[in-house]
Amino acid sequence: MNQLKTWRRDLHQIPELGMKEYQTSAYIRNELDKMGYHYESVVETGTIVFIDYGKDKTIAFRSDIDALPITENNDIDYKSKHEGCMHACGHDGHISALLGFAKHLKEYHYEFNHNILLIFQPAEETIAAARFIVESGIFDKYNVKAIFGMHLMPDIDEGMIACKNGPLMALCGDVNVTIVGKDAHAGEPHKGIDSIAIACDLLQQYQNMIARRIMRFSPVLLNIGKIEGGTSGNCIASTTKIEGTLRCFDEALYEKIVDYILDIHHGLEKTYGCQIIWSPPPVNPPVMNDSHLYHQFINIVEDNYIELNDPLMMSEDFSYYQKAIPGLFFFLGTKCDVYQSGLHTNTFNFHEEVLEKAIQMYILIAQNIIV
């Protein structure tokens, strides 16, 4: 336990953003060196370890390693040393748990029916680097037949495991729109095209679309979290930018909503004579737990298990692995009397003791899952 705490607190002090995890990667690789592992670099700051048990098939375990652009507000002696950057999503714990699993495999002899691949993945929070891990070819190289991932969750009681079959987390795409109008003096609004007024109309039409064009039994979330437009109170705003997110669990429905949004944009362009710029970006697919793996998983979890009734509107690039091979993603609760702050907040924290449960689950999966 002391080693787990040391890893986690060391890592917590050196958070780094996606694809810039140089210190973090060096730390991980140094610890793997101490354990006697041969590691490989993947996707620049990523690291993989192949543990050969002489079997034909391999199963993989993944940890994300990047942090968030958040200034930490915890009063702790292992507070972030990197200004404006924080492990506010538990990735320091994920790394530590996977290192703990690696250490355990070195210290104890097992006869698994498959090999094991450990993946320390960069840039989950930013560019969804899981897809680049897939494209690197390591799954084919090591004949990986299944992958498993864990995420700490402050909405679930400490030490409890939570999961569900099928859809677990949402598909996610950005809705970052630029409205280009025409500037003018506020006293002569007829000479301009007011991009702020158009933005107000746009937002109303987005909400009407969700309420009236999507079946109410199809979960969809369209949130606009940032609007920025204009330069002065006595000017007609020529440009307004909107930033938001669109989430659901059905990729076909997502494509339909994209078409609806483009229809709204084209209609407003004709109505106001403006230009609306939006190119639907690549999306994180929904996290979909494999049924075969799920039913094996719930049989090996002990009595500290919670079956989730509904999927979460959060997003995770673990979904890219599941598009390539069967995968299972589960949550480990951290909620307690001391720590209740949510993910992506500047006071998120947890007891390191809970990471022992993650290692236990990894061991049970490695021992019992058949692929």
Side-chain angles (χ1 to χ4, degrees):
M1 179 56 217
N2 288 338
Q3 181 64 77
L4 270 176
K5 183 177 288 189
T6 297
W7 284 332
R8 188 266 163 147
R9 296 191 176 193
D10 285 350
L11 289 162
H12 191 82
Q13 295 176 70
I14 56 168
E16 296 167 295
L17 301 182
M19 304 311 298
K20 297 179 180 178
E21 309 97 331
Y22 303 114
Q23 281 185 266
T24 303
S25 294
Y27 187 94
I28 292 167
R29 293 168 184 180
N30 183 56
E31 294 304 311
L32 292 171
D33 274 334
K34 290 179 185 177
M35 297 177 204
Y37 281 113
H38 169 74
Y39 60 79
E40 301 173 49
S41 174
V42 63
V43 190
E44 297 184 34
T45 51
T47 303
I48 62 171
V49 176
F50 177 66
I51 307 173
D52 190 353
Y53 287 98
K55 307 299 180 180
D56 293 331
K57 299 178 181 179
T58 299
I59 65 172
F61 296 83
R62 172 271 205 165
S63 165
D64 34 20
I65 69 172
D66 56 329
L68 288 156
I70 293 174
T71 299
E72 184 165 10
N73 194 33
N74 285 315
D75 185 16
I76 51 178
D77 58 9
Y78 52 94
K79 188 174 180 177
S80 170
K81 295 178 179 178
H82 293 174
E83 184 68 28
C85 196
M86 176 188 174
H87 271 300
C89 200
H91 296 189
D92 49 346
H94 303 168
I95 300 167
S96 301
L98 202 58
L99 285 173
F101 181 45
K103 189 172 188 293
H104 184 91
L105 294 179
K106 274 292 185 182
E107 293 176 348
Y108 296 89
H109 179 72
Y110 287 100
E111 288 293 338
F112 297 133
N113 59 10
H114 41 245
N115 309 310
I116 289 177
L117 182 69
L118 307 180
I119 302 173
F120 297 88
Q121 179 213 304
E124 184 273 328
E125 298 285 1
T126 51
I127 63 171
R131 68 183 188 272
F132 302 129
I133 298 285
V134 173
E135 292 168 1
S136 73
I138 63 171
F139 289 172
D140 290 333
K141 179 180 179 180
Y142 294 113
N143 198 28
V144 181
K145 296 301 183 183
I147 187 167
F148 299 86
M150 178 277 299
H151 203 297
L152 299 178
M153 182 56 67
D155 298 329
I156 297 168
D157 287 342
E158 187 176 70
M160 299 297 290
I161 300 294
C163 192
K164 71 180 295 295
N165 193 18
L168 179 70
M169 302 178 79
L171 171 156
C172 175
D174 293 333
V175 183
N176 297 340
V177 176
T178 299
I179 302 168
V180 181
K182 182 181 179 183
D183 60 354
H185 193 286
E188 298 180 310
H190 58 287
K191 293 184 179 180
I193 300 174
D194 190 344
S195 64
I196 291 178
I198 298 168
C200 293
D201 195 349
L202 180 72
L203 298 189
Q204 186 62 54
Q205 292 201 39
Y206 281 173
Q207 297 307 316
N208 288 342
M209 171 193 65
I210 298 299
R212 292 293 178 260
R213 302 194 70 179
I214 308 299
M215 286 188 62
R216 64 190 182 93
F217 298 112
S218 300
V220 175
L221 183 150
L222 176 55
N223 180 74
I224 302 300
K226 181 179 179 181
I227 301 178
E228 185 176 49
T231 56
S232 174
N234 64 352
C235 296
I236 299 299
S238 62
T239 304
T240 296
K241 294 184 178 181
I242 294 171
E243 295 182 12
T245 182
L246 171 61
R247 303 182 181 213
C248 63
F249 299 95
D250 184 325
E251 293 183 74
L253 176 59
Y254 175 81
E255 294 300 326
K256 184 181 292 186
I257 295 171
V258 167
D259 289 339
Y260 291 161
I261 290 175
L262 291 172
D263 286 344
I264 290 171
H265 292 177
H266 293 154
L268 291 172
E269 286 176 329
K270 290 181 180 180
T271 300
Y272 292 104
C274 65
Q275 181 185 10
I276 299 179
I277 302 169
W278 178 53
S279 296
V283 298
N284 280 355
V287 174
M288 303 286 289
N289 279 336
D290 179 80
S291 181
H292 177 65
L293 297 179
Y294 165 80
H295 288 295
Q296 293 185 75
F297 178 77
I298 60 174
N299 285 332
I300 64 175
V301 182
E302 298 173 353
D303 56 3
N304 58 341
Y305 177 72
I306 298 172
E307 177 72 14
L308 296 175
N309 294 320
D310 300 308
L312 305 182
M313 278 294 182
M314 297 177 180
S315 176
E316 238 287 347
D317 75 350
F318 189 84
S319 56
Y320 284 100
Y321 298 125
Q322 294 173 312
K323 296 282 283 186
I325 57 175
L328 184 126
F329 198 71
F330 64 93
F331 299 115
L332 173 58
T334 62
K335 181 180 179 181
C336 62
D337 292 340
V338 179
Y339 302 127
Q340 298 188 20
S341 295
L343 298 175
H344 291 214
T345 65
N346 62 7
T347 52
F348 175 73
N349 205 350
F350 59 91
H351 287 129
E352 287 90 356
E353 288 81 1
V354 76
L355 301 176
E356 293 181 328
K357 183 63 181 178
I359 297 171
Q360 179 189 353
M361 290 309 307
Y362 291 157
I363 295 167
L364 289 172
I365 289 168
Q367 288 175 321
N368 296 283
I369 294 292
I370 298 174
V371 295

